[in-house]
């Protein structure tokens, strides 16, 4: 292959290194106004009154909106969220009012003058408390919310979704086990920290149509929800998305877009821009849900997992419109990449008065793999088996069934190969080494898996247009959030149509009026799904090209080849015609013309995916499973709790690396993000639920000096036959399971189990000194 | 955004005094601005007239005078301090402390005098200046005074500076001959952070006796020198015993709080661990 | 609040503007001069994405007042390459995959150029130290470090 499999440079690189790449925050529109939000200071309270009169008096204030102005609920899977809080506030940071002014400074000034009276209610600030019978209800009206049929909210409780999975006979499984081990695990809420905070501009036009310019991952989802919630036909809504300065799932759902659109209407149809500050990004933009897990594992002495009872509770925060799918995804993947014959799993999405959760790269999996991969280590130690051997013995291999009863396809990825690869590269099998009176070095391993968490009907599409000079325009709905999918897609077009990548442009923005549909840019689904759609579009274009070429060259289609920007007759390269001469219709010397502009189109949806049985969770949720493993070597200072990561080794079965440079970029970037989240990141709250560290001074994320000294990558390529050139997704997978690998290494170094994240130096120190 | 502000940039000390007199409490000195602009944006700082001192030539002094010591003017950036080979060799504890402040870019603006005038308990340069027994030269319309650095801090973000007064420079005397200095800083990450706890130590010989000076950041309302710990180290016993005694005394004298950067308990542990490590190095090197 | 008239050079071009004293250099660059390559992402000196060269030295432009740059010279990412020809470092960023979403890229390029100009052969530690003031959430930093080192090696 000429283009697929090559480390081709990103097609968006030139714009990005020169500073000309366009992001939503860079846009300015004629007559544009600026919005500023007033945020709730209470985690749970009734709004008694809002007085905007003083704020309105400030010169330059155009309008001020409160929740009562916009009686619409929005939400991706569950319609549980008002545009601005109405009647009640549910977390510290929930937008209560919005000022629109001629400039930002005026808007900021006016916001300070809004007076709100609240009647505080008791908040629920722990996911376990939220499940108690007498817990205050975060959503009294849960029963009234419209929701997608895949979900199961329980009115009268804080449970936004309950997912259950049952397989085999759990009692029997535990009876046949020699050893039963039970543990609890915890993970706090964290932020995506996209370098570009949320920003969007909205304009409501007098004819009832809406225009949006936004930093969002999924323009079509926004269009759909907005249309549904406001009752506006979709052709009257257009959503424009330029480059996105980091998404990681935080921009996957619908966020502030409805607000700016409605503010524009209230402000006399002028465009309104809302740009969050970093503090607001922490306080009012959605976060990753917190997690609590309890796992009971039954094993035989020789290391066979016989049964697992699993309970996951996700701290969804105040709203769960996207969040319900996280608990669901964690539920159907709940075993991790292991074969478990007898299983009972329950995964709850639970409302609390914390900031609201949404998708975050690898969602559900980053969380439960922390629990599963720690538990694997603990169980292995309990039966005195090497943890690598224990994992290999229970590895989920082709032919075995998953939690939902899906028989793993024969061309599925191989977790055993990933585990073996990282074990070998990290030098598994050597004992911890004491290097000074307080410092010890040790190794740890963890495995992982994930499938795209998406509904069965998630679709992708592509359009390929041949330009008059033979260059090509590819248009797809996947947004460029940094992951680089569009570069890989350009390579696929190049391969299919035998045109150099430099002659292919992928339209750099998304505009729902012009761009073909894509369900969402999430879930590591886009190379696979857009990839398949692009192949089909290319083949469609090819058919059209060959139809005309066949007439021009007076040769049947099946005797023609497209290569190097030409169509020629097999075995007779001199009988040829350039693609460019066919692009807009072929013109004979006398002016007669045949054919017309070549526009190829293709779509893709997953085959035979199903909803899951509400009672047993059985069914087919997964387009593809990607498997992987991580290994780390750490240096631990037992006196201070400091952990230094000396090395990470990551292995993934990607099926086919369409672009090895991009694959490596995802793996290293994801690995460092995973490390950062596992070691340092955490929403810290006071007793009232107020975030104590809403800035990058005290919410620490990894910097250049925090990354491992060595990073080794193993790319395994067992192709999946229905993937584009055999490829599977890897972007999210890259950030799974580094934290359990680190904690497992700490366990090997000290014999101490740490089951709560983050692994801050202080938390490690605390764990090591618990006995004293 | 920043609140509405006024700005002036006097070129001489005389002009500066005039501005300060005119605006009184409303005025605030602007050096590198790396503390001030953040606290203005957070609306923590209430002053609304910024007096930029970077155009005042007299404040730009970075000079070593044999006998008198090192003079660091109010507008001398941390970058310039780090680039001084002399400071690196003669005042390693100061050099090390300055190196840990923020990052390379920040150090192009941030000043040493700003670091101490901001009077954060976490000011990294303060413990170093404390063990070096630096003096702060303060000037005002009324004249000038010189204050030992351990009298300079009066509380969290509070100093002895009165309205109208400005720190002109810091004078760091000649350190004891053959002294050895180090600053150990514990952070939440490896790369860049404010101190959870910082410890500066200076070791030197008085005759044959090993003497040490110890000072801390982030363990009390102000940066803190703990002379009792220094004395505890001085008394008899094996080195091990002396070190442990100093560690014990130091850990009794600190009063750390719990905040997002660390709990009081953890800080206390770090005081012990870092003090012990520092003293061991002193014993080995000096 | 009285506006002040300031004159400065930006990317080689002299400008005179009137600006209020509470506006930062970052604001001046993005909102007044409309140079959008310099990014705003925290406004308190933590992320470093607003870093530009001020009189040849990198500064976080959110922590500099616009009125302070009177008489100064500023270089932003738009001023790094002239006439569309990329610098060696810009090319190295592309070759090493040192960018993903691209939002932090301008700042890393500014600091990278500065570093290599004053220290043509920095060690890995020096590169890391210089980059510690900047945040990136996509790349894991490693490709950026490698890109900078590759240019410094090429420069004999
Ligand atoms: C990202 C970041 C990281 C940081 N990391 C650290 C760190 O690791 N360690 C640390 O200690 N600090 C840190 N700081 C804080 C700050 O950078 C330092 O304290 C710096 O040295 C302050 O110097 P400046 O010149 O910027 O002070 P400015 O902000 O200009 O002034 C600080 C205060 O001192 C007053 N002041 C300044 N000069 C005088 C004078 N001559 N006379 C009277 N008053 C004066 C000002 O009015 C103001 O109140 C960090 C800051 C940021 C933004």
């Amino acid at each position: 292959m000429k283009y697929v499999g090559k480390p081709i440079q990103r097609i968006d690189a030139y714009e990005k290194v020169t500073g000309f790449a366009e992001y939503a925050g860079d846009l300015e529109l004629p007559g544009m106004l600026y919005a500023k939000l007033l945020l709730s200071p209470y985690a749970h309270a009734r709004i008694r009154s809002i007085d905007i009169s003083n704020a309105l008096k400030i010169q330059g204030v155009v309008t001020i909106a409160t929740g009562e102005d916009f009686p619409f609920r929005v939400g991706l899977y569950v319609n549980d969220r008002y545009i601005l809080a109405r009647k009640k506030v549910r977390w510290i940071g929930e937008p209560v009012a919005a000022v629109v002014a001629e400039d930002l400074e005026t808007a900021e000034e006016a916001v300070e003058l809004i007076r709100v009276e609240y009647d505080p209610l008791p908040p629920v600030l722990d996911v376990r408390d939220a499940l108690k019978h007498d817990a205050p209800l975060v959503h009294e009206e849960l029963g009234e919310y419209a929701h997608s049929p895949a979900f199961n909210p329980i009115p009268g409780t804080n449970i936004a979704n309950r997912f259950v999975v049952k397989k085999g006979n759990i009692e029997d499984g535990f009876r046949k086990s020699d050893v039963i081990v039970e543990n609890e695990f915890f993970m706090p809420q964290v932020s995506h920290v996209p370098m570009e905070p949320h920003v969007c501009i909205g304009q409501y036009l007098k004819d009832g149509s809406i225009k949006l310019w936004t930093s969002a991952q999924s323009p079509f989802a926004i269009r759909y929800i907005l249309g549904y919630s406001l009752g506006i036909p979709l052709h009257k809504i257009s959503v424009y998305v330029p480059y996105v300065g980091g998404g990681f799932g935080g921009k996957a759902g619908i966020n502030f877009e409805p607000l700016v659109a409605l503010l524009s209407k209230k402000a006399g149809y002028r465009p309104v821009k809302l740009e969050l500050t970093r503090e607001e990004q922490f306080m009012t933009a959605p976060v990753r849900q917190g997690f609590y897990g309890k796992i009971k594992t039954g094993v035989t002495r020789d290391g066979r997992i016989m049964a697992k009872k699993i309970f996951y509770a996700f701290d969804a925060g105040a709203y769960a419109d996207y969040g319900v799918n996280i608990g669901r995804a964690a539920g159907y993947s709940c075993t991790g990449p292991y074969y478990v014959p007898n299983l009972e799993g329950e995964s709850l999405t639970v409302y609390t008065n914390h900031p609201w959760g949404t998708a975050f790269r690898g969602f559900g999996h980053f969380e439960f793999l922390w629990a599963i991969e720690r538990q694997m280590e603990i169980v292995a130690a309990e039966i005195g088996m090497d943890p690598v051997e224990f994992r290999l013995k229970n590895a989920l291999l082709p032919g075995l069934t998953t939690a939902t009863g899906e028989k793993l396809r024969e061309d599925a990825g191989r977790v055993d190969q990933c585990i073996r690869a990282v074990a070998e590269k990290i030098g598994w099998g050597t004992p911890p080494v004491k290097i000074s009176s307080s410092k010890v070095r040790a190794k740890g391993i963890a495995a992982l898996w994930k499938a795209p968490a998406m509904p069965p009907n998630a679709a992708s599409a592509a359009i390929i247009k041949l330009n008059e000079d033979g260059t090509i325009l590819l248009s797809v709905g996947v947004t460029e959030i940094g992951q680089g999918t569009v570069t890989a897609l350009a390579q696929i077009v190049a391969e299919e149509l035998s045109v150099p990548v430099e002659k292919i442009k992928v339209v750099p923005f998304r505009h729902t009026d012009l761009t073909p549909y894509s369900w969402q840019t999430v879930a590591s689904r886009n190379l696979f799904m857009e990839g398949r759609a692009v192949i089909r579009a290319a083949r469609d274009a090819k058919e059209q090209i060959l139809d005309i070429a066949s007439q021009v060259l007076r040769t049947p289609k099946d005797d023609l080849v497209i290569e190097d920007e030409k169509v020629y007759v097999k075995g007779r390269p001199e009988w040829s015609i350039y693609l460019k001469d066919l692009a807009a219709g072929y013109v004979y010397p006398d002016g007669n013309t045949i054919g017309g502009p070549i526009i190829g189109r293709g779509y893709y949806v997953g085959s035979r995916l199903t909803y899951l049985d509400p009672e047993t969770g059985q069914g087919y949720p997964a387009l593809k499973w990607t498997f992987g493993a991580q290994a780390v070597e750490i240096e631990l200072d037992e006196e201070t709790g400091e952990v230094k990561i000396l090395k990470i080794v990551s292995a993934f079965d990607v099926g086919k690396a369409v672009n090895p440079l991009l694959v490596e970029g995802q793996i290293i970037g994801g690995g460092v993000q995973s490390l950062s989240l596992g070691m340092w990141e955490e929403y810290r709250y006071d007793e009232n639920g107020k975030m104590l560290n809403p800035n990058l001074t005290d919410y620490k994320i990894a910097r250049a000096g925090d990354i491992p000294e060595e990073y080794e990558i193993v790319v395994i390529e067992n192709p999946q036959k229905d993937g584009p050139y055999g490829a599977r997704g890897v972007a999210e997978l890259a950030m799974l399971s580094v934290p359990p690998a680190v904690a497992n290494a700490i366990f090997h170094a000290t014999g101490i189990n740490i089951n709560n994240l983050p692994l801050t130096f202080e938390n490690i120190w605390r764990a090591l000194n618990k006995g004293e | 955004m920043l609140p509405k502000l006024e700005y002036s940039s006097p070129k001489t000390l005389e002009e500066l005094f005039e501005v300060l007199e005119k605006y009184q409490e409303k005025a605030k000195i602007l050096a590198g601005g790396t503390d001030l602009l953040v606290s203005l944006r957070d609306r923590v700082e209430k002053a609304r007239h910024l007096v930029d001192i970077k155009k005042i030539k007299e404040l730009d002094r970075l000079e070593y005078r044999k006998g008198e010591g090192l003079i660091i003017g109010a507008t001398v950036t941390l970058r310039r301090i780090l680039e001084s080979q002399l400071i690196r060799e003669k005042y390693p504890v100061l050099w090390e402390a300055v190196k840990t402040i923020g990052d390379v870019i920040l150090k192009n603006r941030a000043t040493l005098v700003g670091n101490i005038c901001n009077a954060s308990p976490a000011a990294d340069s303060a413990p170093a200046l404390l063990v070096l027994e630096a003096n702060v030269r303060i000037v005002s319309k009324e004249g000038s005074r010189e204050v030992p650095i351990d009298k300079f801090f009066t509380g969290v973000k509070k100093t002895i500076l009165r309205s109208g007064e400005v720190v002109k420079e810091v004078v760091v005397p000649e350190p004891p001959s053959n002294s050895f200095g180090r600053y150990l800083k514990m952070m939440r990450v490896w790369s860049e952070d404010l101190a959870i706890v910082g410890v500066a130590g200076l070791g030197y010989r008085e005759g044959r006796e090993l003497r040490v000076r110890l000072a801390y950041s982030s363990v009390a309302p102000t940066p803190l020198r703990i002379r009792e710990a220094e004395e505890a180290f001085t008394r008899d016993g094996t080195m091990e015993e002396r070190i442990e005694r100093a560690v014990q005394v130091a850990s009794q004298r600190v009063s750390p709080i719990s905040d997002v950067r660390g709990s009081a308990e953890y800080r206390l542990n770090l005081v012990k661990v870092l003090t012990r490590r520092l003293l061991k190095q002193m014993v080995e090197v000096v | 609040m009285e506006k002040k008239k300031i004159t400065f050079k930006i990317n080689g071009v002299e400008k005179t503007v009137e600006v209020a004293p509470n506006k930062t250099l970052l604001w001046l660059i993005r909102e007044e001069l409309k140079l959008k390559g310099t990014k705003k992402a925290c406004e308190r000196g933590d992320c470093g994405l607003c870093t530009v060269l001020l009189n040849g030295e990198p500064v976080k432009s959110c922590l500099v007042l616009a009125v302070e740059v009177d008489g100064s010279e500023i270089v932003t990412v738009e001023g790094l390459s002239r006439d569309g020809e990329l610098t060696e470092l810009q090319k190295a960023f592309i070759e090493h995959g040192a960018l993903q979403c691209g939002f932090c890229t301008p700042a890393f390029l500014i600091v990278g150029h500065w570093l290599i100009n004053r220290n043509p052969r920095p060690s890995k530690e020096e590169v890391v130290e210089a980059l510690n003031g900047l945040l990136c959430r996509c790349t894991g930093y490693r490709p950026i470090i490698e890109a900078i080192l590759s240019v410094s090696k090429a420069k004999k």
Side-chain angles (χ1 to χ4, degrees), chain A residues 193-198 245 251 275-282 694-697 701, chain B residues 41, chain C residues 26 30 37-51 61-62 103-104 107 134-136:
Chain A
V193 194
M195 284 300 106
E196 171 200 44
H198 284 263
K251 298 171 182 170
E275 194 171 13
L276 298 192
T277 63
R278 182 57 61 183
E279 288 83 351
E280 288 165 341
Q281 174 74 29
F282 278 112
N695 53 57
L696 293 165
T697 313
I701 71 170
Chain B
R41 181 172 172 273
Chain C
L26 173 59
R30 279 186 65 84
T38 304
K39 297 304 181 198
K40 178 172 84 175
C42 83
E43 296 176 276
R44 51 187 294 132
D46 292 317
C47 75
L49 301 198
C50 63
T51 300
S61 63
C62 70
F103 204 74
C104 70
L134 307 176
L135 289 176
C136 165

Side-chain angles (χ1 to χ4, degrees), chain A residues 8-13 15 241 243 461-465 467 471-480 483-494 500-510 515-516 530 534:
Chain A
I8 287 176
Q9 296 168 0
R10 299 179 67 96
I11 57 176
D12 53 358
E15 285 172 273
V241 176
Y243 287 121
I463 295 172
I464 288 173
K465 299 184 200 171
N467 295 325
T471 60
I472 286 172
L473 209 63
L474 169 65
S475 190
V476 281
V478 50
T479 47
E480 177 47 77
Q483 82 283 41
T485 311
V486 297
T487 300
L489 295 176
Q491 287 171 258
I492 290 176
V493 174
V501 177
E502 309 80 71
K503 296 207 170 172
I504 297 164
K505 174 178 181 178
V506 183
V507 181
F509 56 84
R510 307 294 164 256
T515 304
E530 254 75 7
V534 165

Side-chain angles (χ1 to χ4, degrees), chain A residues 52-322:
Chain A
I52 57 172
S53 55
N54 283 334
L56 273 174
K57 284 183 201 141
I58 303 269
Q59 202 193 338
V61 170
V62 177
T63 188
I64 297 176
T66 68
E68 295 311 314
D69 290 312
F70 308 135
F72 313 102
R73 284 206 185 95
V74 295
L76 190 70
Y77 297 115
V78 182
N79 248 31
D80 64 0
R81 202 152 43 89
Y82 283 119
I83 311 246
L84 292 167
R86 286 185 81 205
K87 313 266 190 283
K88 227 170 94 153
V89 288
R90 294 185 172 86
W91 93 89
I92 295 181
E94 177 162 14
V96 173
V99 174
V100 179
E102 295 289 343
D103 58 70
L104 188 56
E105 210 170 340
T106 306
E108 282 188 359
E109 209 178 308
V111 147
E112 304 277 309
L113 300 178
I114 300 176
R115 291 287 162 264
V116 187
E117 283 184 85
Y118 297 94
D119 292 321
L121 297 166
V124 214
L125 299 171
D126 183 292
V127 68
R128 278 158 293 181
D129 291 344
L131 290 171
K132 291 183 181 150
H133 290 299
D134 55 351
L137 289 185
V138 181
H139 290 266
E140 292 88 345
E141 327 77 357
L142 182 55
E144 296 162 25
Y145 298 166
H147 64 86
S148 132
F151 299 98
N152 177 25
I154 305 181
T157 74
N158 285 316
I159 299 172
N161 182 47
R162 178 165 185 263
F163 178 86
V164 185
V165 62
K166 285 191 181 129
K167 178 185 171 191
N169 181 332
I170 186 127
E171 282 81 26
D172 200 38
F174 279 122
R175 221 174 299 121
K176 289 181 181 147
S177 305
D178 299 318
V179 176
I180 294 173
V181 180
E182 189 174 43
N183 285 294
E184 292 178 285
F185 305 89
F186 171 81
M187 190 181 291
Q189 290 190 315
V190 293
S191 170
H192 309 78
V193 194
M195 284 300 106
E196 171 200 44
H198 284 263
V199 52
C200 51
I201 305 169
Q203 185 165 20
Y204 208 105
L205 303 179
K206 285 188 181 150
D207 69 352
S209 55
I210 289 176
K211 285 162 113 180
L212 287 163
W213 297 258
T214 178
S215 172
Q217 290 172 233
S218 310
F220 288 93
I222 289 171
R223 187 181 68 162
Y224 183 79
I225 296 163
L226 203 61
Y228 174 87
S229 292
L230 304 187
I232 297 176
L234 297 191
H235 74 292
K236 288 198 150 188
I237 303 173
S238 63
V239 183
Y240 174 87
V241 176
Y243 287 121
V244 175
F248 313 114
K251 298 171 182 170
I254 182 160
N255 293 305
F256 301 94
E257 293 85 2
L259 174 64
V260 287
L262 292 168
L263 286 176
S264 163
K265 184 177 183 184
K266 199 155 192 274
Y269 305 96
R270 287 167 69 182
V272 174
K273 181 179 199 172
L274 175 71
E275 194 171 13
L276 298 192
T277 63
R278 182 57 61 183
E279 288 83 351
E280 288 165 341
Q281 174 74 29
F282 278 112
M283 300 282 294
T284 199
V287 307
R288 190 183 71 200
Q289 303 180 336
F291 169 82
Y292 165 82
K294 189 171 178 179
I295 302 175
K296 184 165 144 188
T297 310
V299 277
T300 59
R301 279 262 163 244
D302 66 349
R304 292 237 164 260
I305 298 176
M306 298 307 293
K308 264 190 190 181
K309 189 169 163 61
I310 290 174
F311 175 75
Y312 297 151
F314 285 84
D315 177 352
Y319 298 95
D321 76 303
Y322 204 130

